[in-house]
């Protein structure tokens, strides 16, 4: 299988698309696939990380003007032609790409898969993956994809890193006082939620409480956060590949919505969520309504005082966190194991 992935990262976009695609690429490589990436060199791109993981990354130049998907498609096709590359399928994880780009690239690549969660534009694709939980998630794409498109919708198709699938990784959260608190708001944390939490922790009694702060290399406030953690004797981690291990140790997490929210739910880790992007709102609200997380709401409305109150509430009510853990694992069906992940099966089937 020759597979191409088109995705971007930047300080503005964040790192989520690339991190998800790296997880996907690792799964595909285990099935014998050769995987290439095409990424644009935006400020905060992760091309170096992709290459460090052992993948070829074909680079598109930084854009000085608004994203033009027709031009992007042409530049992508020229890159493939220049390098003499042929692919069986292209996987697109990009909010600015729709059927216009896909139809142009289909002239060179016969099969197209789209990863999306917005359901706000048409796609010309053979497989559509939306691994989120929404109200009416089964019908969101009915008028947006071709009739024969294989729609992979819902948490059954969630792409988790291998560490989350390892035997005995699911946490059994007992009703006990909080001893370990994990804070991670994504690789770039563009809305600066980590610093907000650090300010809240300054106002909370932290006796016998271990604090772990995780950031990505693209976090603009990395040095500031590192210094604050050193001053408070908090554990500080940068661009790690063992987040599941920290989640297993933690009794409570604070973070954003998105894939990492589902990772915490899969492990039964109680979470306090701040919504930092529009595409996180509906899924976070649905998870909170189910009882799997606490939703603080839109980041601009979340204050340091809100964080102090909800963290203190969590510390004082371990029984509530135990129930949240149970609901999170139920929602994610954490006890279900797959020999071959259903998304990988879908790709294998279309390329037969």
């Amino acid at each position: 299988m020759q597979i191409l992935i088109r995705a971007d990262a930047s300080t503005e976009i964040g790192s989520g698309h690339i991190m998800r695609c790296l997880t996907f690429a690792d799964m595909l490589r285990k099935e014998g696939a050769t995987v290439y990436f095409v990424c644009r060199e935006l400020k905060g791109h992760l091309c170096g990380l992709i290459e460090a993981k052992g993948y070829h990354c074909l680079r598109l130049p930084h854009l000085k003007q608004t994203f033009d998907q027709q031009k992007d498609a042409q530049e992508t096709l020229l890159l493939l032609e220049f390098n003499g590359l042929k692919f069986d399928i292209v996987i697109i994880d990009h909010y600015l790409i729709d059927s216009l780009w896909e139809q142009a690239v289909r002239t060179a690549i016969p099969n197209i898969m789209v990863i999306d969660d917005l359901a706000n534009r048409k796609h010309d694709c053979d497989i559509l993956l939306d691994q989120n939980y929404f109200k009416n998630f089964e019908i969101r794409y009915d008028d947006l994809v071709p009739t024969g498109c294989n729609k992979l919708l819902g948490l059954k198709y969630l792409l988790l890193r291998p560490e989350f699938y390892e035997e005995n990784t699911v946490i059994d959260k007992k009703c006990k006082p909080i001893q370990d608190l994990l804070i991670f708001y994504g690789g770039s944390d563009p809305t600066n939620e980590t610093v907000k939490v650090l300010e809240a922790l300054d106002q909370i009694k932290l006796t016998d409480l271990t604090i772990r702060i995780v950031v990505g290399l693209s976090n603009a406030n990395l040095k500031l956060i590192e210094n604050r953690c050193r001053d408070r004797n908090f554990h500080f981690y940068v661009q790690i590949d063992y987040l599941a291990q920290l989640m297993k140790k933690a009794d409570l997490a604070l973070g954003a919505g998105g894939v990492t929210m589902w990772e915490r739910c899969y492990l039964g880790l109680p979470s306090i969520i701040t919504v930092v992007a529009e595409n996180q709102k509906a899924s976070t609200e649905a998870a909170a309504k189910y009882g799997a997380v606490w939703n603080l709401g839109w980041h601009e409305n979340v204050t340091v005082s809100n964080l102090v109150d909800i963290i203190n509430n969590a510390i004082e009510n371990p029984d509530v966190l135990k129930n949240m853990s149970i609901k999170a694992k139920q929602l994610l069906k954490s006890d279900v194991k797959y020999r071959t992940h259903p998304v990988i099966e879908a790709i294998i089937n279309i390329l037969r």
Side-chain angles (χ1 to χ4, degrees):
M1 294 185 288
Q2 299 292 119
I3 295 175
L4 180 67
I5 294 175
R6 176 70 186 94
D8 283 330
S10 73
T11 52
E12 183 177 343
I13 296 170
S15 61
H17 297 281
I18 292 296
M19 300 311 294
R20 173 167 57 195
C21 286
L22 280 171
T23 297
F24 200 5
D26 289 345
M27 297 167 73
L28 291 163
R29 185 160 60 181
K30 284 185 178 180
E31 297 296 325
T34 298
V35 183
Y36 278 68
F37 282 74
V38 169
C39 302
R40 197 166 287 279
E41 292 184 303
L42 305 171
K43 181 182 178 182
H45 69 79
L46 293 176
C47 296
L49 176 63
I50 293 167
E51 290 163 346
K53 296 286 187 181
Y55 297 102
H56 295 282
C57 186
L58 305 174
R59 305 186 183 206
L60 298 171
H62 177 70
L63 274 177
K64 294 182 180 179
Q65 66 276 9
T66 304
F67 183 86
D68 182 331
Q69 60 175 321
Q70 281 188 310
K71 183 177 180 181
D72 190 279
Q74 291 168 359
E75 290 178 345
T76 298
L77 291 172
L78 285 172
L79 263 182
L80 303 189
E81 184 179 356
F82 179 79
N83 288 279
L85 295 170
K86 299 283 187 181
F87 293 96
D88 301 308
I89 188 169
V90 57
I91 299 167
I92 304 152
D93 191 345
H94 204 298
Y95 290 150
L96 297 180
I97 287 176
D98 61 26
S99 58
L100 193 66
W101 191 99
E102 293 148 10
Q103 288 166 0
V105 172
R106 193 184 282 279
T107 59
I109 304 176
N111 299 293
I112 294 175
M113 174 178 175
V114 169
I115 302 174
D116 191 23
D117 54 21
L118 297 180
N120 65 351
R121 61 205 188 280
K122 287 186 177 293
H123 292 290
D124 178 20
C125 58
D126 306 286
I127 302 173
L128 185 287
L129 169 64
D130 185 340
Q131 56 181 7
N132 282 286
Y133 174 71
F134 299 100
K135 180 182 178 181
N136 299 325
F137 69 91
E138 300 97 334
I139 61 173
R140 295 173 78 225
Y141 293 91
D142 284 358
D143 298 323
L144 299 176
V145 297
T147 304
C149 176
N150 184 9
K151 298 190 290 289
L152 311 179
L153 307 175
L155 294 172
K156 171 184 177 181
Y157 299 101
L158 186 64
L159 299 170
L160 295 174
R161 295 188 299 277
E163 60 195 281
F164 290 92
Y165 294 117
E166 290 175 2
E167 189 175 359
N168 298 323
T169 56
V170 175
I171 305 168
D172 182 18
K173 289 294 175 192
K174 297 177 173 60
C175 185
K176 63 176 185 178
I178 294 174
Q179 296 175 321
D180 198 300
L181 180 63
L182 176 65
I183 294 100
F184 176 57
Y185 285 91
S188 62
D189 186 12
T191 61
N192 205 21
E193 302 307 307
T194 307
V195 171
K196 200 185 294 184
V197 173
L198 287 170
E199 292 174 0
L201 293 175
D202 286 339
Q203 304 177 36
I204 296 173
K205 186 178 179 181
L206 300 177
T207 306
D208 300 324
L209 189 60
T210 299
I211 308 294
R212 305 180 194 277
I213 311 285
V214 182
V215 301
L217 285 170
S218 54
N219 190 307
N221 295 296
L222 191 153
K223 284 299 179 183
L224 170 65
I225 295 167
E226 182 179 16
N227 291 335
R228 293 281 291 272
C229 288
R230 186 186 301 113
D231 292 342
R232 295 296 306 277
N233 201 28
F234 295 163
H235 297 269
F236 179 69
Y237 307 84
V238 181
Q239 201 66 48
I240 58 173
D241 59 1
Y242 52 90
L243 187 60
Q245 294 178 25
L246 300 188
M247 289 183 182
K248 287 171 64 178
K249 293 178 181 179
D251 302 304
L252 175 68
L254 285 89
V259 173
T260 312
M261 177 181 76
W262 298 128
E263 291 174 346
R264 292 188 291 261
C265 287
Y266 184 82
L267 293 179
L269 175 58
S271 299
I272 298 169
I273 307 298
T274 296
V275 177
V276 302
E278 283 289 340
N279 65 302
Q280 297 176 4
K281 288 177 77 172
S283 58
T284 301
E285 288 168 1
K289 185 176 181 180
Y290 189 87
V293 301
W294 277 346
N295 178 19
L296 272 176
W298 186 244
H299 65 94
E300 291 177 338
N301 301 324
V302 176
T303 66
V304 171
S305 178
N306 296 148
L307 288 163
V308 171
D309 290 344
I310 200 165
I311 294 170
N312 278 327
N313 187 23
I315 291 172
E316 294 165 5
N317 294 281
D319 55 326
V320 176
L321 299 187
K322 172 63 177 177
N323 290 333
M324 190 190 305
S325 174
I326 292 169
K327 295 292 287 185
K329 288 188 286 186
Q330 287 176 347
L331 179 60
L332 269 291
K333 296 181 172 58
S334 301
D335 56 337
V336 176
K337 307 294 181 185
Y338 298 106
R339 178 171 294 184
T340 302
H341 194 286
V343 178
I344 300 297
E345 279 190 346
I347 290 179
I348 291 172
N349 288 339
I350 202 172
L351 297 183
R352 278 178 177 159

